[in-house]
Protein backbone atom coordinates (compact mmCIF):
# COMPACT_ATOMS: atom_id res chain seq x y z
CA UNK A 1 0.00 0.00 0.00
CA UNK A 2 1.41 3.42 -0.94
CA UNK A 3 2.03 6.04 1.77
CA UNK A 4 -1.01 8.05 2.85
CA UNK A 5 -0.81 11.85 3.12
CA UNK A 6 -4.48 12.76 3.68
CA UNK A 7 -5.02 13.42 7.39
CA UNK A 8 -8.59 12.10 7.56
CA UNK A 9 -7.52 8.86 5.87
CA UNK A 10 -4.47 8.56 8.14
CA UNK A 11 -6.62 8.92 11.25
CA UNK A 12 -9.18 6.36 10.01
CA UNK A 13 -6.36 3.87 9.46
CA UNK A 14 -4.05 4.52 12.46
CA UNK A 15 -4.20 0.91 13.69
CA UNK A 16 -1.97 1.49 16.75
CA UNK A 17 -0.01 -1.57 17.85
CA UNK A 18 1.49 -1.92 21.33
CA UNK A 19 4.84 -3.65 20.85
CA UNK A 20 5.85 -6.23 23.44
CA UNK A 21 8.50 -5.28 25.97
CA UNK A 22 9.75 -2.33 27.93
CA UNK A 23 12.10 0.13 26.28
CA UNK A 24 14.34 2.89 27.58
CA UNK A 25 15.83 6.13 26.37
CA UNK A 26 19.56 6.31 27.17
CA UNK A 27 22.71 8.10 26.01
CA UNK A 28 25.74 6.23 24.75
CA UNK A 29 29.18 7.06 26.07
CA UNK A 30 31.36 8.81 23.47
CA UNK A 31 33.47 5.70 22.91
CA UNK A 32 30.70 3.10 23.27
CA UNK A 33 30.01 0.73 20.40
CA UNK A 34 26.55 -0.71 19.94
CA UNK A 35 25.03 -3.23 17.57
CA UNK A 36 22.60 -1.22 15.45
CA UNK A 37 20.36 -4.31 15.37
CA UNK A 38 19.71 -3.82 19.10
CA UNK A 39 18.55 -0.22 18.64
CA UNK A 40 14.93 0.82 18.05
CA UNK A 41 15.84 4.48 17.39
CA UNK A 42 19.01 6.56 17.38
CA UNK A 43 19.46 10.33 17.36
CA UNK A 44 22.76 12.19 17.27
CA UNK A 45 22.71 15.25 19.54
CA UNK A 46 25.48 17.64 20.61
CA UNK A 47 25.47 15.98 24.05
CA UNK A 48 25.89 12.47 22.63
CA UNK A 49 24.02 9.71 20.87
CA UNK A 50 20.56 9.05 22.26
CA UNK A 51 19.13 5.58 21.77
CA UNK A 52 15.85 3.85 22.39
CA UNK A 53 16.58 0.24 23.24
CA UNK A 54 14.91 -2.71 24.94
CA UNK A 55 15.39 -2.44 28.70
CA UNK A 56 17.29 -5.71 29.17
CA UNK A 57 19.68 -4.80 26.32
CA UNK A 58 20.35 -1.44 27.97
CA UNK A 59 21.13 -3.20 31.25
CA UNK A 60 23.44 -5.65 29.47
CA UNK A 61 25.30 -2.70 27.91
CA UNK A 62 25.48 -0.79 31.20
CA UNK A 63 23.37 2.09 29.91
CA UNK A 64 21.59 4.33 32.39
CA UNK A 65 17.88 4.56 31.55
CA UNK A 66 16.52 8.09 31.38
CA UNK A 67 12.93 6.98 30.72
CA UNK A 68 11.20 3.59 30.78
CA UNK A 69 8.56 3.43 28.09
CA UNK A 70 6.14 1.40 26.05
CA UNK A 71 6.48 1.48 22.27
CA UNK A 72 3.38 2.01 20.13
CA UNK A 73 3.60 1.79 16.35
CA UNK A 74 0.98 3.42 14.15
CA UNK A 75 0.79 0.72 11.48
CA UNK A 76 -0.76 3.03 8.87
CA UNK A 77 1.78 3.72 6.12
CA UNK A 78 2.15 7.46 6.69
CA UNK A 79 3.68 9.73 4.08
CA UNK A 80 6.61 11.71 5.48
CA UNK A 81 5.06 14.82 3.89
CA UNK A 82 1.69 14.35 5.62
CA UNK A 83 0.54 17.39 7.61
CA UNK A 84 -1.21 17.19 10.98
CA UNK A 85 -0.80 13.55 12.02
CA UNK A 86 1.70 14.18 14.82
CA UNK A 87 -0.37 17.12 16.06
CA UNK A 88 -3.54 15.00 16.08
CA UNK A 89 -2.19 12.06 18.06
CA UNK A 90 -0.04 14.15 20.42
CA UNK A 91 -3.07 16.33 21.16
CA UNK A 92 -5.23 13.24 21.86
CA UNK A 93 -2.57 11.86 24.19
CA UNK A 94 -2.06 15.26 25.82
CA UNK A 95 -5.78 15.56 26.54
CA UNK A 96 -5.53 12.16 28.25
CA UNK A 97 -2.60 13.44 30.34
CA UNK A 98 -0.07 11.16 28.62
CA UNK A 99 3.36 12.38 27.58
CA UNK A 100 4.69 11.05 24.30
CA UNK A 101 7.97 11.01 22.45
CA UNK A 102 7.73 10.45 18.71
CA UNK A 103 10.08 9.00 16.13
CA UNK A 104 9.06 8.86 12.48
CA UNK A 105 10.37 6.05 10.35
CA UNK A 106 10.15 5.89 6.58
CA UNK A 107 6.81 4.05 6.75
CA UNK A 108 5.38 4.45 10.24
CA UNK A 109 5.24 6.73 13.26
CA UNK A 110 6.46 5.32 16.57
CA UNK A 111 5.25 6.70 19.88
CA UNK A 112 7.00 6.11 23.20
CA UNK A 113 4.85 6.64 26.30
CA UNK A 114 5.49 5.98 29.99
CA UNK A 115 5.06 2.25 30.70
CA UNK A 116 2.22 2.88 33.17
CA UNK A 117 0.27 4.80 30.50
CA UNK A 118 0.53 2.22 27.70
CA UNK A 119 -3.05 0.94 27.82
CA UNK A 120 -4.56 4.40 28.32
CA UNK A 121 -2.52 5.62 25.34
CA UNK A 122 -3.83 2.77 23.21
CA UNK A 123 -7.40 3.67 24.22
CA UNK A 124 -6.84 7.35 23.36
CA UNK A 125 -5.38 6.43 19.96
CA UNK A 126 -8.21 4.01 19.21
CA UNK A 127 -10.74 6.72 20.12
CA UNK A 128 -8.92 9.11 17.77
CA UNK A 129 -9.08 6.52 15.01
CA UNK A 130 -12.81 6.10 15.53
CA UNK A 131 -13.63 9.82 15.58
Amino acid sequence: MPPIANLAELLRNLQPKLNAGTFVFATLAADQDINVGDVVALVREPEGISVVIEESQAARLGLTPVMRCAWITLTVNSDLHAVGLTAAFSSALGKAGISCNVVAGTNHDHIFVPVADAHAAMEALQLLQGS
Side-chain angles (χ1 to χ4, degrees):
M1 175 177 234
I4 299 170
N6 177 277
L7 180 58
E9 188 176 350
L10 284 166
L11 294 176
R12 277 193 308 274
N13 293 287
L14 280 181
Q15 295 299 316
K17 175 188 171 211
L18 179 59
N19 296 287
T22 299
F23 300 84
V24 299
F25 279 76
T27 302
L28 298 178
D31 60 348
Q32 187 165 10
D33 288 327
I34 192 166
N35 179 348
V36 72
D38 293 336
V39 175
V40 173
L42 181 145
V43 177
R44 183 181 315 267
E45 299 180 292
E47 297 83 0
I49 296 176
S50 296
V51 293
V52 179
I53 190 168
E54 202 275 324
E55 185 174 44
S56 66
Q57 289 285 0
R60 182 180 60 76
L61 294 168
L63 299 176
T64 302
V66 176
M67 177 186 174
R68 295 179 73 240
C69 52
W71 170 21
I72 299 171
T73 299
L74 302 181
T75 62
V76 63
N77 188 3
S78 56
D79 190 308
L80 287 168
H81 297 283
V83 175
L85 178 60
T86 303
F89 68 71
S90 64
S91 178
L93 293 171
K95 286 178 185 170
I98 301 168
S99 70
C100 68
N101 294 278
V102 183
V103 177
T106 304
N107 300 294
H108 306 286
D109 291 272
H110 305 273
I111 307 168
F112 298 91
V113 300
V115 172
D117 294 331
H119 294 291
M122 287 294 293
E123 288 176 12
L125 293 168
Q126 289 162 346
L127 281 172
L128 177 62
Q129 179 177 334
S131 63

